[in-house]
Amino acid sequence: MDKLKFIITVIMLANLSLSAQSNKILFVMSAEDTIPLNNGQKLRQTGVFLNEFYLAYKSVTEAGYTVDFATPNGMVATIDEESTNDTYWKNNLEIKNKALTFTQSDSSFNSPITLEEAIKTKTEYLGLVIPGGQGLMVDLAKDKHIPVLLKYFAKAHKPTGLICHAPSLILTIPKAENPYIGFKVNSVSPIEEFVIERFIMKGKPENRKIAKGLRKMGLKYRRGLPKSNFAIKDRNLVTSQNPFSGRAFNKRYLQALTEYLERMPVGN
């Protein structure tokens, strides 16, 4: 009987140790609200794409994880006005309204930590998600903290989710020290970039041709059809293509989290 009690106690302690592990996911968000086009001759409102952020947030929190938000200088993330168009929500207009309410009323969303703070506490996070939107091409793509965070999560084999334009941030890591060389990766596709620039933004941003850059860096770029629900998981890295890829991204990212927890030694 004493032996049985001992075994039960060990199991309980192991479960407590695992539950004591931080279940926090770090969401790094753009705080940029303007993107220059055509060599600065035109300015356009920009930011984080609402459904690329909110559907990922909804997925991980419903699975029992908590989220901290981080932005450059702790500024509140900007939402791209284009992303509030019903076109990107299809039959999810109720969720769109909840997402808009969330951005207006949620205290954590409206009180993000700085990227410096995120780096100091990086070991507390189980995973990283960077939602897409053109805003990150302006601020995160030039922020010195981004490669530091990406390299940490990569080397720690922690689930890293990069959505739509966010895979371009892999290019902030020099090739000689880039942990993702040889990984399969997805991002907004060349044809989708063309459509966005020609018909939506009506101008060319400074940072573009993401797929070409990823291939040149040494990653294995893969893509789905335009507007397809497409995402790729390669080890700890999950990347997705567009605002319509939420289901594929969420499925693979939750899978990556589960696999990481299964590998993680109790007590780490």
Side-chain angles (χ1 to χ4, degrees):
M1 191 65 170
D2 290 340
K3 185 176 181 180
L4 179 59
K5 287 182 178 179
F6 174 76
I7 292 172
I8 292 173
T9 300
V10 170
I11 292 173
M12 290 176 65
L13 288 172
N15 287 334
L16 283 171
S17 178
L18 183 58
S19 63
Q21 292 290 334
S22 172
N23 70 339
K24 292 193 296 184
I25 309 296
L26 178 65
F27 270 54
V28 170
M29 311 275 279
S30 169
E32 183 58 56
D33 62 4
T34 304
I35 186 169
L37 304 172
N38 302 335
N39 296 317
Q41 296 180 24
K42 177 181 178 180
L43 299 177
R44 178 181 170 84
Q45 193 277 339
T46 192
V48 177
F49 230 69
L50 183 62
N51 64 352
E52 292 178 357
F53 135 66
Y54 186 74
L55 295 181
Y57 170 85
K58 182 173 180 288
S59 174
V60 296
T61 54
E62 288 181 349
Y65 300 96
T66 59
V67 169
D68 281 351
F69 296 99
T71 64
N73 302 316
M75 298 175 63
V76 179
T78 303
I79 299 301
D80 192 322
E81 293 172 1
E82 171 69 21
S83 67
T84 65
N85 190 309
D86 290 351
T87 301
Y88 302 103
W89 294 86
K90 294 187 177 180
N91 298 321
N92 292 322
L93 296 185
E94 182 180 350
I95 297 179
K96 184 188 93 166
N97 292 331
K98 289 181 179 179
L100 289 169
T101 299
F102 178 90
T103 62
Q104 296 161 5
S105 61
D106 185 80
S107 59
S108 59
F109 179 86
N110 286 287
S111 303
I113 62 175
T114 66
L115 296 182
E116 292 95 332
E117 291 172 316
I119 288 174
K120 289 178 183 177
T121 58
K122 62 185 184 295
T123 59
E124 297 179 8
Y125 297 104
L126 200 61
L128 169 70
V129 174
I130 306 182
Q134 293 279 352
L136 66 84
M137 305 293 283
V138 181
D139 59 358
L140 300 187
K142 298 176 181 178
D143 195 297
K144 64 181 181 181
H145 302 99
I146 293 300
V148 176
L149 283 168
L150 287 175
K151 286 193 291 183
Y152 165 73
F153 281 91
K155 291 177 181 178
H157 306 290
K158 293 185 175 184
T160 300
L162 305 176
I163 300 172
C164 195
H165 283 76
S168 66
L169 299 177
I170 293 173
L171 303 175
T172 65
I173 308 173
K175 189 169 186 177
E177 54 191 72
N178 198 312
Y180 287 119
I181 301 299
F183 275 55
K184 293 178 183 176
V185 67
N186 173 236
S187 72
V188 59
S189 67
I191 190 168
E192 287 167 324
E193 271 194 308
F194 171 80
V195 170
I196 291 167
E197 292 170 9
R198 176 64 66 87
F199 301 106
I200 298 177
M201 297 197 303
K202 297 180 180 178
K204 293 182 180 180
E206 176 186 357
N207 296 319
R208 49 198 303 271
K209 298 185 178 179
I210 296 171
K212 183 178 180 180
L214 291 168
R215 288 193 185 102
K216 187 175 180 180
M217 179 64 76
L219 288 90
K220 300 174 181 176
Y221 178 80
R222 303 288 185 270
R223 69 172 184 268
L225 294 173
K227 294 187 177 182
S228 63
N229 177 36
F230 189 80
I232 288 176
K233 175 184 171 297
D234 190 344
R235 288 157 275 186
N236 69 299
L237 180 65
V238 181
T239 50
S240 64
Q241 185 163 315
N242 55 48
F244 308 100
S245 298
R247 291 194 317 277
F249 174 84
N250 293 338
K251 177 181 178 181
R252 287 161 178 77
Y253 191 73
L254 290 178
Q255 179 187 351
L257 286 169
T258 299
E259 291 174 356
Y260 177 74
L261 288 171
E262 290 174 346
R263 293 192 309 268
M264 185 173 63
V266 174
N268 272 10

